[in-house]
Amino acid sequence: MTRPELHDDPGAAGDWTASGVYRCAPDVYRIPLPLPNDGLRAVNVYAIADDAGWTLVDAGWALAESRELLAGALDVLGSGLAGVRRFLVTHSHRDHYTQAVTLRKEFGAQVLIGAGERPNIDEAIRPGHTAWGVHGARLHRAGADELAAEMDAVPRGERDMAGWERPDGYLADRAVVTVGPPAARRRLEVVETPGHTRGHVVFADEASDLLFAGDHVLPRITPSIGFEPRPTATPLGDFLVSLQLLKDRPDAALLPAHGPVGRRVHERVDELLEHHADRLDATLKATEEGRSTAFEVAGALTWTRRERTLPELDRFNMMMAVLETQAHLDLLVQRGILTTEDHGVVMHYATP
């Protein structure tokens, strides 16, 4: 594998997934790591110079190719994997968490994550847990029995538990993590931003005008909502409140987990709030036209920036579309705009 090279970050001008080490602020480097089985293509890990080593924000998926690229990137920075003192993980999805656990076993780095992720991690490491189980039940609730059956038939094999262990500690909302050598200390404030997952956090470096945003604010796409082992009742409501929370804080340069750097947080938050307002309007309109299940409503909407219809998506993304529609419908119920009726397992939605 080609040794990564050090560059100044090109922002939106270049391919954000290209392997390398990208300087995006003084003593802060972006390291994109591959996600070969994931439509997101790569995840950005951020290396922050620390006292006698490095603190990494997020870790990547525990894959051989990812480990090799991370090792090469840290070697370029004069360290290697043994120089990582700790991982600050934004949430417990495998492309952010699992490599931190596997590297901790080998090198002893500390792994820290938001306190709100404890239920997700407890469920993920529970004997007998299957990631598919909770989502299958949600698809049946959405009236998508055929899609649930197709997903259930996908071969999965035995689950690899190598990257699933508890962290060394849980970070409380508004805790401050100090990073950097004595002459250049950074204060990273932990800010709870539930929605994408129930315990998602971002790390705010206000003095340096930086926000390590994880998947909460992405520059080109909208993050999935509540795709986790233990979702809350209204994850979209949580997400919108969390977006407004960032809008009420000082603006900052956006350092996302997926996508290029170069945007500002407030600008992108405004776009995401507008997107979901439009989506709620479209969801309500489809219900007023007589569609009553999340599956039926999802079929009336278009998906991705290419505005594809639901049948044009692959099975996994069709599932994600149906579950996102369900989250919008549940928020409309929470706001008193729609009502619900149980028809056996399936939930039906209607205007009062």
Side-chain angles (χ1 to χ4, degrees):
M1 185 174 293
T2 304
R3 175 186 170 92
E5 296 182 358
L6 177 61
H7 310 273
D8 285 329
D9 206 308
D15 177 7
W16 73 271
T17 70
S19 297
V21 184
Y22 300 92
R23 185 186 296 105
C24 50
D27 293 326
V28 178
Y29 301 87
R30 182 177 67 86
I31 304 170
L33 299 177
L35 303 176
N37 298 321
D38 196 306
L40 293 171
R41 298 174 57 207
V43 58
N44 292 323
V45 170
Y46 293 92
I48 308 172
D50 207 341
D51 190 13
W54 298 87
T55 285
L56 269 54
V57 176
D58 288 328
W61 190 336
L63 300 165
E65 182 184 5
S66 176
R67 184 190 189 283
E68 187 173 348
L69 281 171
L70 182 59
L74 291 168
D75 186 55
V76 168
L77 294 174
S79 169
L81 294 173
V84 179
R85 296 183 59 228
R86 63 188 158 186
F87 293 94
L88 304 177
V89 184
T90 58
H91 61 293
S92 61
H93 282 166
R94 61 186 175 182
D95 56 324
H96 297 254
Y97 186 71
T98 56
Q99 188 153 253
V101 171
T102 58
L103 292 177
R104 175 180 65 181
K105 294 175 184 176
E106 190 172 351
F107 299 102
Q110 187 182 38
V111 178
L112 303 173
I113 196 168
E117 286 294 74
R118 187 190 295 266
N120 279 333
I121 292 175
D122 286 348
E123 176 62 21
I125 66 176
R126 179 180 60 81
H129 166 79
T130 61
W132 161 242
V134 65
H135 307 312
R138 293 172 71 193
L139 284 179
H140 287 298
R141 178 176 177 265
D145 289 350
E146 185 175 338
L147 176 58
E150 291 176 359
M151 292 295 295
D152 193 43
V154 174
R156 291 179 173 84
E158 187 174 346
R159 187 165 180 247
D160 181 6
M161 295 298 295
W164 294 107
E165 293 180 359
R166 288 187 174 88
D168 294 292
Y170 290 98
L171 297 166
D173 184 35
R174 308 310 166 94
V176 173
V177 181
T178 302
V179 182
R185 291 290 193 207
R186 293 179 185 272
R187 290 171 50 86
L188 302 185
E189 183 180 3
V190 180
V191 182
E192 287 185 348
T193 50
H196 179 61
T197 67
R198 64 188 299 149
H200 191 290
V201 296
V202 300
F203 298 96
D205 181 356
E206 288 190 13
S208 298
D209 188 40
L210 300 174
L211 184 78
F212 298 90
D215 284 3
H216 184 59
V217 181
L218 301 175
R220 293 178 174 173
I221 61 174
T222 58
S224 63
I225 302 298
F227 188 69
E228 55 190 322
R230 296 280 299 275
T232 62
T234 53
L236 179 60
D238 298 338
F239 181 63
L240 298 180
V241 169
S242 298
L243 287 176
Q244 187 60 51
L245 171 66
L246 292 190
K247 188 67 189 296
D248 293 340
R249 293 177 59 91
D251 199 8
L254 175 61
L255 300 182
H258 307 284
V261 303
R263 300 201 65 180
R264 302 290 296 179
V265 171
H266 285 184
E267 172 194 29
R268 183 54 180 155
V269 165
D270 283 341
E271 293 174 358
L272 289 168
L273 289 170
E274 181 179 4
H275 165 79
H276 283 288
D278 291 344
R279 208 67 174 168
L280 286 164
D281 288 344
T283 300
L284 177 60
K285 182 174 184 292
T287 308
E288 291 171 338
E289 292 171 347
R291 298 171 179 87
S292 67
T293 68
F295 182 69
E296 291 171 346
V297 172
L301 306 175
T302 56
W303 300 93
T304 79
R305 288 175 293 172
R306 298 178 179 84
E307 301 207 342
R308 293 175 174 167
T309 63
L310 189 67
E312 291 177 314
L313 303 178
D314 60 55
R315 281 191 303 250
F316 179 81
N317 283 297
M318 188 182 294
M319 175 182 72
M320 297 296 285
V322 171
L323 297 182
E324 181 175 321
T325 302
Q326 194 173 69
H328 283 79
L329 288 164
D330 288 341
L331 181 59
L332 290 169
V333 172
Q334 184 188 43
R335 291 179 175 179
I337 298 171
L338 293 180
T339 60
T340 60
E341 289 184 12
D342 284 329
H343 290 197
V345 173
V346 181
M347 183 68 72
H348 289 258
Y349 300 82
T351 54

